[in-house]
Amino acid sequence: MSGHSSIPDPSAPVSAAIYERLGVPRRINAAGTLTRLGGSLMAPAVLLAMAQAAEASVDISELQSAASRVIAGCTGAQAGIVTSGAAAGLTLATAACLAGWDVNRMAALPDTRAMPNRILMARTHRNSYDHAVRLAGATIVDIGHNDRGTGAGVRGLEPWEIEAAIDANTAAFLFVATAETLADLPAVLATVHRHGLPVIVDAAAQLPPRNNLKTFIDAGADLVVFSGGKAIGGPQSTGILAGRRDLVGSALVQMMDMDVSPQTWSPSALIDRDALKGIPHHGIGRGFKVGKEDIAGLLVALERFVERDEDAIAEQFTARLQAIATALSAAPALTARLIARDGVDQHVPLLELTVAGSAHALSRRLQHGMPPVHLGERLAHQNVLTINPQTLRSDDDAVLVRCLIESSRSAV
Ligand SMILES: *Cc1c(COP(=O)(O)O)cnc(C)c1O
């Protein structure tokens, strides 16, 4: 495959026939790859892989072994599996750190009374996805203070604070990666590894740039999770768990259908049968099963993501956002500002719209219009709405502008 210069923006006009038949309105999504809006739009090549996968039976653990080879190639990790999203990946990563190859512990989860069960996190990294860690039965212990978060001081988490928190009941450290936290990762890895404990990195939304597929593994992370349904452009119900072979194997066996007979079970090469004292039951991850179609779709999307021409895509996005900004000069209540891609911490160009009036009120009007339109609301408390081009079909740009001009008339 040669480099892909475009994002998965289907060239054919949108049909949406299935949504029409179901009576569900199609939405113009300028808010990004949000799960509640269905995640990424998928390229025809991804859909083709899913259709082909649907036509025959395979051994899922063999398919996950093949996935492991593809993911290892793209990330530099020893191994990797397709999960049902990054949040599921966090639960499985936690389960792997809690149980390892211990079948007794696998069977006990989420009851962790008989095993080390504390997962350390910097207080500044706490977020609503850490429920996925508690789901496996772990207890999150947040450490350090929040001076940077509150602006009260200059210091982040320091090695001595991690040292002081590690005890015999500690199972792992969870690090939430962002452009701002990356500088703290080496010290966390060095300190936690000194105690022989693993570090899980939540890098769910840290793509693009594609280099980040390797960044955290290169730094020494034991496990890393990525979303498949965000920038990678895979099925929205997929994710990647990559890292140490033993931990990825433990995660896999805790996710698989284990209604197998001991006489005939032939596990995937990722699963160390000698390390297992017996055959595990259905594990904590059994509810996170990933279909063969989703695995195939994610792998093709990942290959395409790695081969993409990121510069060309960013230029296309920028040109479209500039055209939208120009057209919005007809909307007196909106002031558009391009947030350019800088390749440092801004990897996707955005258009910020400052609203004269209430951004929340405008956003609500847009969402209830026809067609419904979604803009990013992360800065709405500052009266700013954001246009993210990643899930905006180029043939919807003009509709978006029309809806914005109409809806913002009543904002002033
Ligand atoms: C999106 C996100 C997740 C969840 O990813 P899914 O693939 O939707 O499960 C977890 N952590 C962070 C930081 C995220 O941004």
Side-chain angles (χ1 to χ4, degrees), residues 35 84-88 90 127 129 176 202-205 226-230 236 238-239:
T35 294
S84 55
L90 287 175
N127 67 82
Y129 290 107
V176 181
D202 178 356
F226 297 102
S227 282
K230 291 180 181 166
Q236 73 145 328
T238 60

Side-chain angles (χ1 to χ4, degrees), residues 198-221:
V199 174
I200 304 165
V201 173
D202 178 356
Q206 297 307 299
L207 303 171
R210 102 185 102 226
N211 289 351
N212 274 357
L213 285 168
K214 298 196 160 142
T215 301
F216 312 104
I217 295 291
D218 278 353

